[in-house]
Amino acid sequence: MTRLPTLEEIRRAPKVLLHDHLDGGLRPETIIDLARDCGHTLPTYDPGELAAWFRDAADSGSLERYLETFSHTVGVMQTREGLVRVAAECAEDLADDGVMYAEVRYAPEQHTSRGLSLDQVVEAVLEGFRLGSAGPDGKPRIRVGTLLTAMRHQARSMEIAELAVRYRDLGVVGFDIAGAEAGYPPTRHLDAFEYLQRENAHFTIHAGEGFGLPSIWQAIQWCGADRLGHGVRIIDDITVPENGEAKLGRLAAYVRDKRIPLEMCPTSNLQTGAAPSIAEHPIGLLRRLHFRVTVNTDNRLMSDTSLSQEFAKLVDAFGYDWDDLQWFTVNAMKSAFIPFDERLALINGVIKPGYAQMKWHA
Ligand SMILES: O=c1[nH]cnc2c1ncn2[C@H]1C[C@H](O)[C@@H](CO)O1
Ligand SMILES: [Zn+2]
């Protein structure tokens, strides 16, 4: 039997990350530094204890309670210097984990409480990604695209959609909505999605995480989402008889037939109660049924994780080998919001040779 990939090996393999929140991935030391600078009060000022506090507080079984922890990260991301630093460290941390392409998202409207304009927020984050992506020789170690998120309980989605279009040639590659899902259907923001479609712009929608099929259906059939953030609850439209073939309802069949990418975030789903365990996570069935599944981190700080660790947990639970990990990675690259020729060049020039090397050494 061939040996399964180890965490160390997975770290060295080229990876693609489509769903990672900037305000969910800060280094604990940075939160403490920035909190001291701006007078924000934290639950503790010890980096180890703070890391544990985020993990435990986010481990609540409810999306709403999970989201409360962001007050401490968003709270210290209100100045240009703070945003540049957080974005630069994010790019460094992802590159250190072997991520070669990432789309990192955040909500600009949450970073204006100390007087920054939306444009200033976007420019600071772009500058941070530029600085953090460069290796010691000045050549980029990672490519980072930005997704601008609008908060679904607020009413600023049109403004944020316009901001995404304004910065589309400067590093912003798409748009998203996030926040509590129950009670805030994506159709609340239909005007923003219709505007983005008229502008030929890309967007993903958090759907099917804290709420079920109606949210996924609206995101795709009313709003025209290119991808689904999480989408785990699509499982509610699939029945698997004891000894028979899985049967897909019309929505699940549509998602699979149209190759709609699912941005799955296993550990985050355990924390918010969207899945009971990694072994029982719908990703196992969805991968078997050839949905376009991708693997993501969501919030590295709150979930105490990295993309390599998410892969390692899946290897452990489902016995995935290098072919499976390459399949997830190619799926993610195919689903990225950058131009087709650039995606293809990365698949053929980086991902396939990278995994061939990993398999050779296995
Ligand atoms: O998994 C999530 N579901 C819904 N909203 C989320 C999730 N993770 C983070 N967010 C929210 C909290 C952040 O402040 C916001 C922008 O990144 O997005
Ligand atoms: Zn998310």
Side-chain angles (χ1 to χ4, degrees), residues 131-193:
L131 293 171
S133 301
D137 54 0
K139 284 205 212 122
R141 302 165 63 209
I142 177 173
R143 179 166 173 185
V144 182
T146 308
L147 304 183
L148 299 188
T149 294
M151 298 309 290
R152 52 203 314 157
H153 62 283
Q154 301 288 0
R156 298 187 72 176
S157 47
M158 188 65 183
E159 224 179 320
I160 304 302
E162 285 169 352
L163 190 67
V165 168
R166 206 151 63 242
Y167 282 90
R168 69 188 338 180
D169 296 324
L170 299 164
V172 174
V173 299
F175 174 85
D176 162 54
I177 57 168
E181 194 176 352
Y184 300 101
T187 40
R188 268 189 101 228
H189 305 281
L190 201 51
D191 57 339
F193 298 122

Side-chain angles (χ1 to χ4, degrees), residues 7 14 24 51 65 68 92 109 122 141 204 225 232 243 263 265 296 328:
L7 178 60
R65 290 222 296 287
E68 285 169 15
E92 284 169 19
E109 67 196 67
V122 173
R141 302 165 63 209
T204 176
V232 262
N243 288 315
E263 305 162 359
C265 310
N296 301 275
F328 286 126

Side-chain angles (χ1 to χ4, degrees), residues 40-240:
H40 178 93
T41 306
L42 292 173
T44 161
Y45 291 81
D46 174 85
E49 282 176 16
L50 189 60
W53 182 88
F54 273 105
R55 193 192 52 228
D56 296 346
D59 220 5
S60 57
S62 129
L63 176 58
E64 287 72 13
R65 290 222 296 287
Y66 177 92
L67 293 174
E68 285 169 15
T69 61
F70 285 79
S71 64
H72 291 299
T73 54
V74 169
V76 302
M77 295 168 69
Q78 300 297 333
T79 61
R80 178 177 162 83
E81 303 74 57
L83 287 166
V84 171
R85 175 170 171 185
V86 168
E89 291 177 352
C90 168
E92 284 169 19
D93 292 349
L94 295 180
D96 287 345
D97 189 45
V99 176
M100 38 86 79
Y101 176 83
E103 289 177 5
V104 179
R105 64 188 74 192
Y106 66 100
E109 67 196 67
Q110 300 194 120
H111 302 278
T112 56
S113 71
R114 287 184 184 235
L116 291 178
S117 66
L118 292 175
D119 289 64
Q120 285 172 326
V121 171
V122 173
E123 281 165 27
V125 172
L126 289 172
E127 173 67 359
F129 285 147
R130 193 185 62 73
L131 293 171
S133 301
D137 54 0
K139 284 205 212 122
R141 302 165 63 209
I142 177 173
R143 179 166 173 185
V144 182
T146 308
L147 304 183
L148 299 188
T149 294
M151 298 309 290
R152 52 203 314 157
H153 62 283
Q154 301 288 0
R156 298 187 72 176
S157 47
M158 188 65 183
E159 224 179 320
I160 304 302
E162 285 169 352
L163 190 67
V165 168
R166 206 151 63 242
Y167 282 90
R168 69 188 338 180
D169 296 324
L170 299 164
V172 174
V173 299
F175 174 85
D176 162 54
I177 57 168
E181 194 176 352
Y184 300 101
T187 40
R188 268 189 101 228
H189 305 281
L190 201 51
D191 57 339
F193 298 122
E194 287 175 351
Y195 161 76
L196 289 164
Q197 286 179 310
R198 287 197 300 278
E199 290 293 336
N200 304 302
H202 305 291
F203 55 93
T204 176
I205 296 181
H206 275 80
E209 177 195 21
F211 203 68
L213 294 176
S215 179
I216 297 180
W217 176 71
Q218 281 197 9
I220 296 169
Q221 308 301 13
W222 280 84
C223 306
D226 296 293
R227 305 193 309 231
L228 290 174
H230 300 282
V232 262
R233 300 283 297 273
I234 196 66
I235 201 83
D236 297 351
D237 201 33
I238 302 175
T239 43
V240 190

